[in-house]
Amino acid sequence: MGAYSYTTVVVEPDGSTRIGVSLQPDESVSVLCSTGRPRAQISVTHAAADVVITPTDPESPTAGDVQVARQLAESFAVYAAEVERLHALTTESAA
């Protein structure tokens, strides 16, 4: 399966809507997080999908925003460890 990104929009009979963005990137993914600027944000771009994460007020984050940023960092660290673990397992079994 190749790299791709897609968005789904689900509208329920009651009118509620759910939007999902799935990124399955390759080396062409762009992840940018500038430092030393007057606002905090991180952006992920792949194919025609753009995801930008910012605090509720990017120029004046709250303690809650700091907690969310730490949770994101921890989750991404776990994701990286899981990708590495699975890569090692599939590399070993292919040898």
Side-chain angles (χ1 to χ4, degrees), residues 36-90:
R37 305 264 175 142
R39 63 184 291 124
Q41 73 180 45
I42 187 168
S43 63
V44 180
T45 302
H46 184 259
D50 297 309
V51 178
V52 177
I53 300 172
T54 68
T56 50
D57 180 349
E59 296 177 3
S60 183
T62 66
D65 293 322
V66 172
Q67 181 179 358
V68 169
R70 294 277 178 214
Q71 288 173 327
L72 285 168
E74 289 172 16
S75 293
F76 276 109
V78 169
Y79 171 74
E82 282 299 291
V83 170
E84 290 170 354
R85 179 184 68 80
L86 292 169
H87 173 70
L89 285 175
T90 57

Side-chain angles (χ1 to χ4, degrees), residues 4-69:
Y4 65 97
S5 297
Y6 62 92
T7 302
T8 57
V9 178
V10 177
V11 180
E12 300 294 341
D14 67 359
S16 62
T17 306
R18 186 171 41 88
I19 299 171
V21 177
S22 294
L23 303 175
Q24 296 177 346
D26 56 10
E27 295 80 18
S28 70
V29 69
S30 171
V31 180
L32 301 172
C33 186
S34 301
T35 60
R37 305 264 175 142
R39 63 184 291 124
Q41 73 180 45
I42 187 168
S43 63
V44 180
T45 302
H46 184 259
D50 297 309
V51 178
V52 177
I53 300 172
T54 68
T56 50
D57 180 349
E59 296 177 3
S60 183
T62 66
D65 293 322
V66 172
Q67 181 179 358
V68 169

